[in-house]
Amino acid sequence: MINDYEIIDAHCHIYPEKIAERAVHGTDTFYDIVSKRKGTAKDLIDEKQSSGVDKFIVQSVATTPHQVKSINEFVAKEALLFGDFLIGLGTLHQNSETMEEDVLHLVELGLKGVKLHPDIQNFKIDEERYFPIYELCQKHKLPILMHTGDYRYDNSNPNRLIPVLETFKNLTIIGAHFGGWSMYDKASKELCKYDNLLVDCSSAFYALDKEDAKKIIRRYGADKVLFGSDYPMWDAGEELEYFFSLGLSREENEKILSLNAKKLFE
């Protein structure tokens, strides 16, 4: 807690200890960065002590269908072990032949939503063959935290996201990285009108000046923005320091730092 604010970091990746270093290195290579943290639940709890974050929304991404079950069981186990601090999201894979069973399993595990990363998982989100994912998540009221945007690909950019939002109007999607990594301002202009879309601010502050970040937040509206660090890429304490420097109102801060996430996941 900082300045009497309850803080939920709504975008964190965790991995089993034995593969964490390799997994973090793979993401670093994909984005040409060097992550600041280790990528394990233990390290995330250690970060809690220094950052002021009260709870973390944690997840991982399946790159093949056979990983879905084990990843979901791992995240659920960690969330149970650190129950006061972690809330788990499941993963799905677009090519799974057991999609309905995968969804039912993650619901039974107590996971509170689904994480998709269309660029790493390599699928265009508006192709109708992938609509069963959205149909099932909509049916079971599972929010989808989706990586959105990448100038190098055309899998999850606004032109792909808009058809999904317009087709599945009762599905809540959280567009990571202000709805469009590497195209933050453009994405916010095209996506801000959709009531079933929220966004998080993860992996955005490093690329934006403060006036642009503040403008994007207010374009979406504080009711539709979540704080997220994209752990282990970035240090949550440093991301919070940047966030507080934007000079938003107390009401805006409360919504972004915890209230919006609590409505979705608690």
Side-chain angles (χ1 to χ4, degrees):
M1 185 171 289
I2 300 175
N3 300 332
D4 296 324
Y5 288 106
E6 181 180 9
I7 299 172
I8 298 175
D9 185 340
H11 190 136
C12 301
H13 304 258
I14 58 169
Y15 311 100
E17 294 269 356
K18 64 182 180 181
I19 68 162
E21 184 176 357
R22 186 167 73 252
V24 172
H25 177 71
T27 304
D28 286 357
T29 301
F30 191 80
Y31 286 107
D32 192 24
I33 65 160
V34 177
S35 289
K36 297 195 173 188
R37 306 291 301 196
K38 296 179 181 179
T40 65
K42 182 179 182 301
D43 182 63
L44 190 59
I45 298 306
D46 289 344
E47 184 179 48
K48 178 183 184 301
Q49 307 306 314
S50 60
S51 68
V53 173
D54 297 288
K55 288 187 178 182
F56 302 90
I57 310 295
V58 295
Q59 36 78 24
S60 192
V61 175
T63 56
T64 64
H66 81 266
Q67 292 177 341
V68 170
K69 184 175 185 288
S70 61
I71 287 175
N72 289 342
E73 290 177 348
F74 161 72
V75 172
K77 181 181 177 182
E78 297 296 277
L80 183 63
L81 182 63
F82 299 101
D84 291 339
F85 310 123
L86 303 185
I87 297 171
L89 304 184
T91 188
L92 297 170
H93 192 278
Q94 73 277 7
N95 294 328
S96 174
E97 296 181 357
T98 57
M99 189 70 70
E100 187 166 8
E101 290 90 336
D102 295 342
V103 170
L104 291 173
H105 184 230
L106 73 86
V107 170
E108 290 169 0
L109 289 169
L111 298 169
K112 302 298 186 180
V114 169
K115 172 61 188 289
L116 300 176
H117 196 309
D119 294 321
I120 287 178
Q121 294 176 303
N122 192 27
F123 73 102
K124 291 177 169 53
I125 59 175
D126 62 336
E127 290 189 30
E128 290 190 9
R129 58 182 165 154
Y130 304 129
F131 279 15
I133 295 176
Y134 313 127
E135 291 166 355
L136 286 164
C137 288
Q138 182 172 259
K139 175 182 176 181
H140 291 279
K141 296 181 170 56
L142 293 167
I144 297 177
L145 171 58
M146 182 184 292
H147 171 94
T148 46
D150 194 319
Y151 71 93
R152 301 169 299 177
Y153 309 102
D154 185 25
N155 293 326
S156 62
N157 294 335
N159 59 297
R160 300 288 182 188
L161 182 56
I162 287 170
V164 178
L165 293 169
E166 292 183 344
T167 302
F168 298 94
K169 294 184 178 179
N170 294 316
L171 172 67
T172 297
I173 294 178
I174 304 155
H177 326 307
F178 284 138
W181 180 77
S182 72
M183 54 185 70
Y184 311 99
D185 188 64
K186 177 181 186 294
S188 68
K189 290 176 180 176
E190 296 182 16
L191 299 172
C192 64
K193 68 180 182 179
Y194 291 96
D195 293 336
N196 52 336
L197 176 73
L198 288 82
V199 297
D200 72 34
C201 63
S202 67
S203 285
F205 291 157
Y206 79 102
L208 294 169
D209 66 40
K210 292 178 181 179
E211 285 305 310
D212 286 338
K214 189 173 182 178
K215 178 175 63 177
I216 290 170
I217 288 171
R218 287 189 164 156
R219 182 176 289 144
Y220 281 114
D223 290 321
K224 296 173 65 178
V225 180
L226 308 178
F227 174 76
S229 69
D230 216 353
Y231 171 93
M233 284 189 177
W234 312 105
D235 179 90
E238 293 175 3
E239 294 294 289
L240 282 167
E241 183 179 356
Y242 182 105
F243 176 80
F244 281 118
S245 75
L246 298 178
L248 300 172
S249 71
R250 182 167 188 88
E251 181 182 9
E252 289 172 315
N253 287 342
E254 288 176 340
K255 290 177 179 179
I256 294 166
L257 292 173
S258 64
L259 295 182
N260 296 336
K262 290 172 79 169
K263 287 179 183 177
L264 288 174
F265 299 120
E266 290 193 345

